[in-house]
Amino acid sequence: MHKHRFTKTDSRNRRKQAMELGIIGLGKMGGNMAQRLHDGGHKIVGFDFSADALKRLNDAGSKGVTSLEDLVKSLTGRRAIWIMVPAGDPVDETIAKLKPFMNKGDIFIDGGNSNYKDSQRRHKELKAEGFDFVDVGTSGGVWGLKEGYSMMIGGDDEPVQYLTPIFETLAPAKDKGWGHTGPAGAGHFVKMVHNGIEYGMMQAYAEGFSIFKAKEELKLDLPQIAEIWRYGSVVRSWLLDLTAEALEKNPTLEGLEAYVADSGEGRWTVFEAIDLNVSAPVITESLIRRIRSREQNNFTDRMIAIQRNAFGGHAVKKD
Amino acid sequence: MHKHRFTKTDSRNRRKQAMELGIIGLGKMGGNMAQRLHDGGHKIVGFDFSADALKRLNDAGSKGVTSLEDLVKSLTGRRAIWIMVPAGDPVDETIAKLKPFMNKGDIFIDGGNSNYKDSQRRHKELKAEGFDFVDVGTSGGVWGLKEGYSMMIGGDDEPVQYLTPIFETLAPAKDKGWGHTGPAGAGHFVKMVHNGIEYGMMQAYAEGFSIFKAKEELKLDLPQIAEIWRYGSVVRSWLLDLTAEALEKNPTLEGLEAYVADSGEGRWTVFEAIDLNVSAPVITESLIRRIRSREQNNFTDRMIAIQRNAFGGHAVKKD
Amino acid sequence: MHKHRFTKTDSRNRRKQAMELGIIGLGKMGGNMAQRLHDGGHKIVGFDFSADALKRLNDAGSKGVTSLEDLVKSLTGRRAIWIMVPAGDPVDETIAKLKPFMNKGDIFIDGGNSNYKDSQRRHKELKAEGFDFVDVGTSGGVWGLKEGYSMMIGGDDEPVQYLTPIFETLAPAKDKGWGHTGPAGAGHFVKMVHNGIEYGMMQAYAEGFSIFKAKEELKLDLPQIAEIWRYGSVVRSWLLDLTAEALEKNPTLEGLEAYVADSGEGRWTVFEAIDLNVSAPVITESLIRRIRSREQNNFTDRMIAIQRNAFGGHAVKKD
Amino acid sequence: MHKHRFTKTDSRNRRKQAMELGIIGLGKMGGNMAQRLHDGGHKIVGFDFSADALKRLNDAGSKGVTSLEDLVKSLTGRRAIWIMVPAGDPVDETIAKLKPFMNKGDIFIDGGNSNYKDSQRRHKELKAEGFDFVDVGTSGGVWGLKEGYSMMIGGDDEPVQYLTPIFETLAPAKDKGWGHTGPAGAGHFVKMVHNGIEYGMMQAYAEGFSIFKAKEELKLDLPQIAEIWRYGSVVRSWLLDLTAEALEKNPTLEGLEAYVADSGEGRWTVFEAIDLNVSAPVITESLIRRIRSREQNNFTDRMIAIQRNAFGGHAVKKD
């Protein structure tokens, strides 16, 4: 059975060990992770379609290659390849292109934002062909390079343990911010819900500050309030730290459009909650509000306006 | 104790009886009610600041007067005055102006959309001075003239019974669509919640039709669907009848702004639910969406956009 | 291209015509539909696993058979089989068992609550084998026998037109309550959203009456209010008619458990809204509340209790 | 005009200065604050009805008194009295009892969870009588003694500046976690919204962990996940730190009832948002869920069950 929890004893007994790792996708996340691993003493070989990304990697002392074949062949011993590409087909395509060059026992790591069901499927398919597959939900954004990444890891015990030196280097501290959360898919499942919670927290803060802004008579100073709350308050958090900094730079949020994108993980969380019969109104409402932010000339509102007009003769606004 | 329920026996024993009624406020609602009462054989005296409104009343065979004093003096016997003015101060001001001309036992009727707490206060104050006060929550909108008004009535038994011929004429049928729902305030309380439910129903329909509109590949015909549902479906309703008609005239809702006003009753319902510790998410959410429809350049959404940018480097849209 | 809208002209020109129809599944819905069709002059052959259901069918003058083969063979000319079985595998299994006995051009009708994506798939598969497939979203519940069924129909023009006499008999009136809403799947799609709206309306009414119940000081009479609203009010509807009747029988709802089941269509509506990027908070919230009604010893609430205790020393309630 | 923002320069120029302070209410919050101030070199005189609370104060080196008169008379110079009693009438009563012993210019400080409108009224009333009034929204809970309190302060500039040494000692650091947020009421207003945000954050975490618990097949380890997220993740926060600790002690939350109390501030935030026409669905929904946690044998759910039964013959569960 896999071991869920990382204990101090394990980590103390394990020598810090330099490893080799291939990384595919050297964007905002992958590029920073490559650098953090290189700085931590690991040998990194990276692939990206962008010549600039490869140059940055080379300049930082790692090795950039221009084909997946070269990537695999640049690694010795049991290969571990960290795939950091957009969720969905790109992951399947990358795996398919890598497989011809990989040996039995080599490890595919999906560190992106894949749907956990895809990770369960990929694990099963690769396992049947003799490969290992580990799914890593990775949080920390652009700050990970400096502060370390939080990683939730799903997969079989053996490959997860084998990769421990990599996780210890990427994490904020050797023993902190990462863990093997369960079987295949459990990494991406936990990361998915992490993002759902993130939606809820962001919406809660945003609503609060909107109330402040609307209370014009008190002439509240939004950056000041965010700054006060960073110390000693119940709502202090890393998100609040960043919010305080952002508000300091742009207290009125001028120039920004009221438009919020969403990656897939919030909606997957909502689907999952419903499938599991868990009532999760706040995460759901946070998603709905993001969707709402993208609706132009909202049809629902116009339907209500026309209904009011129909029964009550209430005036409607014309475009 | 007041008698809550209107029974058939009561109505059968009661002769239809012509009454006199003063009406203050001859707009969309008051004007139509005056006409329905006149057509039903009652003697109506009406007051409005608008000369047009008075002309319409006179043309229809009732008597329009240009002062509150004339209004009161035009009525014989025990006076009953139906006040149909905007909620809040106008009601108090109208009562204050009327009082000098009224006798003990005369009846003030508030048929507008007053907050039930105001009605409870007014009842108490007027009672202490020897007057009667009856609060009538009135539903039916511009269709009431033809189809009759639904009335929820609060107040003491005696004046409510005294006014029965008026209610029987205004109602869709002698025995239907009206009732004495409880003590002072109970009329406006029930009407308040009525409007809260109305918000929820309208939002439910509007969301459904928005989904139809968004499902472009099926090329659904919105007026057709509304029309189908009017017969035999579980969601058939009077609101749907009106919606079908409105969609028939303007299937794409072109020219309408996505802007929904709200009168006070929806928000009072939400406040009341919270005060009573009743969880009412759908009525509440319907109100929130109306508020949302009026927010320009939504600050909450911009706060979330800037937070996403801060931790993840996600692009924000510029105005 | 298929013709979306049913027009009066069409119906006037079309002679009422007796047809033959096989019905599979003679439960609450299928059994009543068989009877309404029989009463309307059509020849019905029915199949059900329940001997009782077959006996009822025979007693009512139609023919009950004990195998699908017999069902098909009892029909002459171009066969049309109305399948009224639980959504999902049972529909596929029924179709698979029927196919060996069916001829090219015969029509499968799915009148149950199938997911519209399944209907699109079945249409495509059956079409490829030379059969026709029509999906009918059917509303009206146990009242359909008497009042007629509302039907939203998806599929190709030709078979839908062929089945017109059946739809005209099942519907509340020849021209009302049914329509061809679009291509394959459009019937079940429209019915799915119909149910989502139904959730919202029910929740809106239920919240309103809960507020009445909680306002103890006014001693409101819930059945009275429902009855008043049935005539002239903006919230009048068929659901309200039924609610008034149910409250009349059991004004305190005693003996009922606070437990609400949901069939799949509400959650499919929510998934669809999210997939289409339509913000639908009220339909969604209505689903969430149903889910909530089934959660025992709610974990979310306990999590919040323990968080409050952790930061504020607030007491928690022990089981 | 008052100066909103606390600047580093101000604090550097201001000598740390020992002050005298009276504190009324020596419970969980007041008692700890008295101790933190005493430890910081201030002279504290405290009043409480509880002999135990007074003893603890005396044992810790401060002075406990048994009457408000003694409290005031134990202070020299310009008096400042920190009132830490339940919101509402107790604050008014305490102020009324203190006033006879206070001099013009003395300062009343309300450090409790008062409604900001009460604080605005009290400021106005006391100002008219020559007193000063400062409202302090205080966050930090039972951890404030050790970590310091976050304080949002409303009132006139002069008394707020006069009290600076008190705030600097109570705060997490001299310059951090406190600020003068605006005129009278601005302290309690900001604290009110703080608590609304807190509701939303707690609900977001709680929903996420409920999804984990429901995903039984993955056998997720809730305390492990909370612990992982504390480092490097986007959702890291002080609330999460406490949650991780609480889950570590009781991973299944056994023995806790699913019952969540709410103090007034969440509902005031919701009222305020609506009054200001700010759509705040997540804070609102968080409040609604707390209300829902306290509803037994939910009437809304039973209403829906009976509606489903009425139209569809769907079975209802009996108690």
Side-chain angles (χ1 to χ4, degrees):
Chain A
M1 211 206 73
H2 70 270
K3 199 174 164 310
H4 269 251
R5 306 199 66 171
F6 181 83
T7 66
K8 298 251 162 85
T9 321
D10 291 340
S11 111
R12 241 181 275 120
N13 293 346
R14 201 183 297 114
R15 285 192 339 275
K16 185 152 184 181
Q17 188 186 342
M19 290 188 70
E20 297 185 12
L21 185 77
I23 300 187
I24 297 169
L26 300 167
K28 224 157 39 184
M29 290 294 285
N32 283 347
M33 295 174 91
Q35 188 178 338
R36 189 170 170 96
L37 286 166
H38 173 84
D39 295 348
H42 301 284
K43 178 190 161 193
I44 301 302
V45 185
F47 169 84
D48 199 287
F49 290 110
S50 149
D52 283 354
L54 291 180
K55 184 175 184 314
R56 276 195 301 275
L57 188 76
N58 286 324
D59 291 351
S62 292
K63 178 180 182 183
V65 296
T66 55
S67 79
L68 294 186
E69 182 172 1
D70 284 353
L71 183 96
V72 177
K73 293 194 171 157
S74 301
L75 299 168
T76 58
R78 182 184 187 182
R79 282 82 153 244
I81 313 271
W82 189 290
I83 300 168
M84 209 67 185
V85 303
D89 292 342
V91 176
D92 285 315
E93 289 161 13
T94 303
I95 291 173
K97 285 181 194 156
L98 284 170
K99 272 199 294 189
F101 313 114
M102 302 280 274
N103 298 325
K104 306 291 159 194
D106 283 355
I107 310 171
F108 294 85
I109 306 157
D110 181 0
N113 277 331
S114 294
N115 188 301
Y116 81 97
K117 291 177 187 174
D118 285 330
S119 298
Q120 290 178 326
R121 170 182 57 78
R122 286 167 189 145
H123 172 267
K124 195 175 166 189
E125 290 169 359
L126 289 168
K127 201 76 194 165
E129 302 180 68
F131 300 109
D132 277 310
F133 176 86
V134 170
D135 55 288
V136 182
T138 313
S139 181
V142 292
W143 297 81
L145 171 59
K146 182 171 157 246
E147 306 202 0
Y149 297 90
S150 181
M151 286 166 293
M152 308 127 230
I153 303 162
D156 300 324
D157 282 359
E158 193 279 329
V160 173
Q161 297 228 354
Y162 177 79
L163 295 167
T164 293
I166 295 294
F167 299 135
E168 289 183 344
T169 304
L170 285 173
K174 201 178 170 190
D175 294 2
K176 292 190 192 307
W178 72 279
H180 183 191
T181 56
H188 283 142
F189 186 90
V190 174
K191 176 55 165 42
M192 172 188 80
V193 174
H194 167 281
N195 282 28
I197 293 172
E198 182 188 297
Y199 280 33
M201 292 173 66
M202 290 167 77
Q203 179 72 21
Y205 284 123
E207 292 177 7
F209 281 93
S210 294
I211 295 170
F212 289 146
K213 179 162 184 301
K215 191 71 177 176
E216 294 177 1
E217 76 211 54
L218 292 182
K219 294 190 176 58
L220 298 167
D221 179 335
L222 276 54
Q224 178 206 24
I225 293 171
E227 185 64 26
I228 290 174
W229 285 351
R230 292 182 62 203
Y231 306 94
S233 87
V234 173
V235 302
R236 64 194 190 257
S237 73
W238 185 66
L239 265 174
L240 183 66
D241 293 345
L242 300 182
T243 303
E245 195 176 349
L247 281 171
E248 186 66 43
K249 288 184 200 151
N250 186 359
T252 59
L253 304 185
E254 65 188 324
L256 266 80
E257 198 177 317
Y259 180 100
V260 188
D262 75 280
S263 58
E265 291 171 310
R267 48 186 74 206
W268 297 339
T269 305
V270 171
F271 294 157
E272 191 71 30
I274 293 173
D275 283 340
L276 292 169
N277 284 304
V278 171
S279 61
V282 155
I283 292 177
T284 305
E285 199 57 57
S286 301
L287 172 68
I288 288 176
R289 273 301 293 261
R290 292 193 174 197
I291 291 173
R292 177 66 186 81
S293 80
R294 301 191 297 258
E295 291 174 318
Q296 301 292 325
N297 195 17
N298 191 273
F299 195 78
T300 301
D301 294 343
R302 286 189 287 151
M303 277 289 299
I304 294 174
I306 211 168
Q307 288 181 80
R308 291 184 85 236
N309 176 263
F311 72 77
H314 300 289
V316 295
K317 287 208 174 190
K318 305 291 182 180
D319 267 343
Chain B
M1 212 207 73
H2 70 271
K3 198 174 162 311
H4 270 250
R5 307 199 68 174
F6 180 83
T7 66
K8 297 247 162 95
T9 321
D10 290 342
S11 111
R12 246 180 273 120
N13 293 345
R14 204 182 294 115
R15 285 195 336 278
K16 186 153 186 181
Q17 188 186 343
M19 292 187 71
E20 296 184 12
L21 187 77
I23 301 187
I24 297 169
L26 301 167
K28 223 157 39 184
M29 291 293 287
N32 282 347
M33 295 173 91
Q35 188 179 335
R36 189 171 171 96
L37 286 166
H38 174 83
D39 295 348
H42 301 284
K43 178 189 161 194
I44 302 301
V45 185
F47 169 84
D48 198 289
F49 290 111
S50 151
D52 284 352
L54 291 179
K55 184 174 183 313
R56 274 194 302 275
L57 188 74
N58 287 323
D59 290 351
S62 292
K63 178 178 183 183
V65 295
T66 56
S67 80
L68 295 186
E69 183 171 359
D70 284 352
L71 183 95
V72 177
K73 294 193 171 157
S74 302
L75 299 169
T76 59
R78 181 184 189 184
R79 281 82 154 244
I81 314 270
W82 188 290
I83 300 168
M84 209 65 186
V85 303
D89 292 342
V91 177
D92 285 316
E93 289 161 15
T94 302
I95 291 172
K97 286 180 194 155
L98 284 170
K99 273 199 291 190
F101 314 113
M102 302 280 273
N103 298 324
K104 306 290 161 197
D106 284 353
I107 310 170
F108 295 85
I109 305 156
D110 181 0
N113 277 330
S114 294
N115 188 303
Y116 81 98
K117 292 177 186 173
D118 285 331
S119 298
Q120 290 178 325
R121 171 180 56 76
R122 287 169 189 143
H123 172 267
K124 195 176 166 188
E125 290 170 0
L126 288 167
K127 202 76 194 163
E129 302 180 67
F131 301 110
D132 276 311
F133 177 87
V134 170
D135 54 289
V136 182
T138 312
S139 180
V142 292
W143 296 81
L145 172 58
K146 182 170 157 246
E147 308 203 358
Y149 297 90
S150 180
M151 286 166 293
M152 309 128 230
I153 303 162
D156 300 324
D157 282 356
E158 193 280 329
V160 173
Q161 296 228 353
Y162 177 78
L163 295 167
T164 293
I166 296 294
F167 299 135
E168 289 183 342
T169 304
L170 286 173
K174 202 178 171 191
D175 294 4
K176 293 189 190 306
W178 72 279
H180 184 193
T181 55
H188 283 143
F189 187 90
V190 174
K191 176 55 166 43
M192 172 188 82
V193 174
H194 167 280
N195 283 27
I197 294 172
E198 181 188 297
Y199 280 35
M201 290 173 67
M202 291 167 76
Q203 178 73 22
Y205 284 123
E207 292 177 5
F209 281 93
S210 295
I211 295 170
F212 289 146
K213 178 162 185 300
K215 191 71 176 179
E216 295 177 1
E217 75 211 55
L218 292 182
K219 295 190 176 55
L220 298 167
D221 179 336
L222 276 55
Q224 179 204 24
I225 293 171
E227 185 63 26
I228 290 174
W229 285 351
R230 293 181 61 203
Y231 305 95
S233 89
V234 173
V235 302
R236 64 192 190 258
S237 74
W238 185 66
L239 266 174
L240 182 66
D241 293 345
L242 300 182
T243 303
E245 196 177 348
L247 281 172
E248 185 67 42
K249 287 184 201 151
N250 186 358
T252 58
L253 305 185
E254 63 187 326
L256 267 80
E257 199 177 316
Y259 180 100
V260 189
D262 76 281
S263 58
E265 291 172 308
R267 48 186 74 206
W268 296 338
T269 305
V270 170
F271 293 159
E272 191 71 29
I274 294 173
D275 282 340
L276 292 169
N277 285 304
V278 171
S279 61
V282 154
I283 292 177
T284 306
E285 198 57 55
S286 301
L287 172 69
I288 288 176
R289 273 301 292 261
R290 291 193 176 197
I291 292 173
R292 177 65 187 81
S293 80
R294 303 191 296 259
E295 291 174 319
Q296 300 293 326
N297 196 15
N298 192 273
F299 196 77
T300 302
D301 295 342
R302 286 189 287 151
M303 277 290 297
I304 294 174
I306 211 168
Q307 287 181 80
R308 290 185 84 236
N309 176 263
F311 72 76
H314 299 288
V316 295
K317 285 207 175 191
K318 304 293 183 180
D319 268 342
Chain C
M1 212 207 76
H2 69 271
K3 195 173 167 312
H4 269 250
R5 306 199 68 174
F6 180 83
T7 66
K8 297 250 164 89
T9 320
D10 291 341
S11 112
R12 246 183 271 122
N13 294 345
R14 203 182 295 116
R15 286 194 335 279
K16 188 153 183 181
Q17 188 186 347
M19 291 188 70
E20 296 184 15
L21 186 77
I23 301 186
I24 296 168
L26 300 168
K28 226 156 40 189
M29 290 295 284
N32 283 347
M33 295 174 92
Q35 189 179 336
R36 189 171 171 95
L37 287 166
H38 173 84
D39 296 348
H42 300 285
K43 180 190 159 193
I44 302 302
V45 185
F47 169 84
D48 198 289
F49 289 111
S50 150
D52 283 354
L54 291 181
K55 185 174 183 313
R56 276 194 301 275
L57 188 75
N58 287 323
D59 290 351
S62 292
K63 179 178 181 184
V65 295
T66 55
S67 80
L68 295 186
E69 183 172 359
D70 284 352
L71 183 96
V72 177
K73 294 193 171 158
S74 303
L75 300 168
T76 59
R78 183 184 186 183
R79 282 81 153 244
I81 313 270
W82 188 290
I83 300 168
M84 209 66 186
V85 303
D89 293 342
V91 176
D92 285 316
E93 289 161 13
T94 302
I95 290 172
K97 285 181 194 157
L98 283 170
K99 273 199 292 191
F101 313 115
M102 302 280 273
N103 297 326
K104 306 291 161 193
D106 285 353
I107 309 170
F108 295 84
I109 306 156
D110 182 1
N113 279 330
S114 294
N115 188 302
Y116 81 97
K117 292 177 186 172
D118 285 330
S119 298
Q120 291 177 325
R121 170 181 55 78
R122 286 170 190 143
H123 172 267
K124 193 175 169 189
E125 289 170 358
L126 288 167
K127 202 76 193 163
E129 301 180 66
F131 302 108
D132 276 312
F133 176 87
V134 170
D135 55 288
V136 182
T138 313
S139 181
V142 292
W143 296 81
L145 171 58
K146 182 171 157 248
E147 308 202 359
Y149 297 91
S150 181
M151 286 166 294
M152 307 128 229
I153 303 163
D156 300 325
D157 282 357
E158 192 280 329
V160 172
Q161 297 228 356
Y162 178 78
L163 294 167
T164 293
I166 295 294
F167 299 135
E168 289 183 343
T169 304
L170 286 172
K174 203 178 167 191
D175 293 3
K176 292 188 190 307
W178 72 279
H180 184 192
T181 55
H188 284 142
F189 187 89
V190 174
K191 176 55 166 42
M192 172 189 81
V193 174
H194 167 281
N195 282 28
I197 293 172
E198 180 189 298
Y199 280 34
M201 292 174 66
M202 292 167 76
Q203 178 72 22
Y205 284 123
E207 292 177 6
F209 281 92
S210 294
I211 294 170
F212 290 146
K213 181 165 183 297
K215 192 69 175 177
E216 294 178 2
E217 75 212 55
L218 292 182
K219 294 190 178 57
L220 299 166
D221 179 335
L222 277 55
Q224 180 205 21
I225 294 171
E227 186 62 27
I228 291 173
W229 286 350
R230 291 182 62 204
Y231 305 94
S233 87
V234 173
V235 302
R236 64 191 188 260
S237 73
W238 184 67
L239 265 174
L240 183 66
D241 293 344
L242 301 182
T243 302
E245 194 177 350
L247 280 172
E248 186 67 42
K249 287 185 199 150
N250 185 359
T252 58
L253 304 186
E254 64 189 325
L256 266 80
E257 200 177 315
Y259 180 101
V260 189
D262 75 280
S263 59
E265 291 171 311
R267 50 187 70 208
W268 296 338
T269 306
V270 171
F271 294 157
E272 191 71 29
I274 294 173
D275 282 340
L276 292 169
N277 284 304
V278 172
S279 61
V282 154
I283 292 177
T284 305
E285 199 57 57
S286 301
L287 172 69
I288 288 177
R289 273 300 293 261
R290 293 194 174 196
I291 292 173
R292 177 65 187 82
S293 81
R294 302 191 297 258
E295 291 174 318
Q296 302 292 324
N297 195 17
N298 191 272
F299 196 78
T300 302
D301 295 342
R302 287 189 286 151
M303 277 291 297
I304 294 174
I306 211 168
Q307 287 181 81
R308 291 184 84 236
N309 175 263
F311 72 76
H314 299 289
V316 294
K317 286 209 174 190
K318 304 294 185 179
D319 269 343
Chain D
M1 214 207 73
H2 70 269
K3 194 173 166 315
H4 270 251
R5 306 202 65 175
F6 181 83
T7 65
K8 295 251 164 84
T9 322
D10 291 340
S11 112
R12 243 180 274 119
N13 293 346
R14 203 181 297 114
R15 282 192 341 276
K16 184 153 185 180
Q17 187 187 344
M19 290 188 70
E20 295 184 16
L21 186 76
I23 300 186
I24 295 169
L26 301 167
K28 226 157 39 186
M29 291 294 285
N32 282 348
M33 295 173 91
Q35 187 179 337
R36 188 170 172 98
L37 287 165
H38 172 85
D39 296 348
H42 301 285
K43 180 190 159 195
I44 301 302
V45 185
F47 169 83
D48 198 289
F49 290 111
S50 150
D52 283 355
L54 291 179
K55 186 175 181 313
R56 275 195 301 274
L57 188 75
N58 287 323
D59 290 352
S62 292
K63 180 180 180 183
V65 295
T66 56
S67 80
L68 295 186
E69 183 172 0
D70 284 353
L71 183 97
V72 177
K73 294 193 172 158
S74 302
L75 299 168
T76 60
R78 180 185 188 182
R79 281 80 151 248
I81 313 270
W82 188 290
I83 300 168
M84 208 66 185
V85 304
D89 292 342
V91 175
D92 284 315
E93 290 161 13
T94 301
I95 290 172
K97 285 180 193 155
L98 284 170
K99 273 199 290 190
F101 314 114
M102 302 280 274
N103 297 325
K104 307 289 161 197
D106 284 353
I107 310 170
F108 294 84
I109 306 154
D110 181 0
N113 278 330
S114 294
N115 188 303
Y116 82 97
K117 292 177 186 173
D118 285 330
S119 298
Q120 291 177 325
R121 170 181 56 78
R122 286 168 189 144
H123 172 266
K124 194 176 169 190
E125 290 170 359
L126 289 167
K127 202 75 195 164
E129 302 180 67
F131 301 110
D132 277 311
F133 175 86
V134 170
D135 55 288
V136 183
T138 313
S139 180
V142 292
W143 295 82
L145 172 58
K146 182 171 157 245
E147 308 202 358
Y149 298 89
S150 180
M151 284 166 295
M152 307 127 231
I153 303 162
D156 301 324
D157 282 359
E158 192 280 328
V160 172
Q161 297 227 354
Y162 177 78
L163 294 167
T164 293
I166 296 294
F167 299 135
E168 289 183 343
T169 305
L170 286 173
K174 205 179 169 190
D175 294 2
K176 291 188 191 307
W178 74 279
H180 183 191
T181 54
H188 283 143
F189 187 90
V190 175
K191 177 53 167 41
M192 174 189 80
V193 174
H194 167 280
N195 281 28
I197 294 171
E198 181 188 298
Y199 280 35
M201 291 173 67
M202 290 167 77
Q203 179 72 23
Y205 284 124
E207 291 177 6
F209 282 93
S210 293
I211 295 170
F212 289 147
K213 178 161 183 301
K215 191 70 175 178
E216 294 178 0
E217 76 211 56
L218 291 182
K219 293 189 176 59
L220 299 166
D221 179 336
L222 275 55
Q224 179 206 22
I225 294 171
E227 185 63 27
I228 290 174
W229 285 350
R230 294 181 60 203
Y231 305 94
S233 88
V234 172
V235 300
R236 64 193 190 259
S237 73
W238 186 65
L239 265 174
L240 182 67
D241 293 345
L242 300 182
T243 302
E245 195 177 349
L247 281 171
E248 185 69 41
K249 287 184 198 150
N250 186 0
T252 60
L253 304 186
E254 65 188 323
L256 266 81
E257 201 178 313
Y259 180 102
V260 188
D262 75 280
S263 59
E265 291 171 309
R267 49 187 73 206
W268 297 338
T269 306
V270 170
F271 295 157
E272 192 71 28
I274 294 173
D275 283 340
L276 291 169
N277 284 305
V278 172
S279 62
V282 153
I283 292 177
T284 305
E285 199 56 58
S286 300
L287 172 69
I288 288 177
R289 274 300 293 260
R290 290 191 177 200
I291 292 174
R292 176 65 187 82
S293 81
R294 302 190 298 258
E295 291 175 318
Q296 301 293 324
N297 196 16
N298 192 273
F299 195 77
T300 302
D301 295 342
R302 286 189 287 150
M303 278 289 297
I304 294 174
I306 211 168
Q307 288 181 80
R308 292 184 83 235
N309 175 262
F311 72 75
H314 300 290
V316 295
K317 285 207 175 192
K318 304 293 182 177
D319 268 344

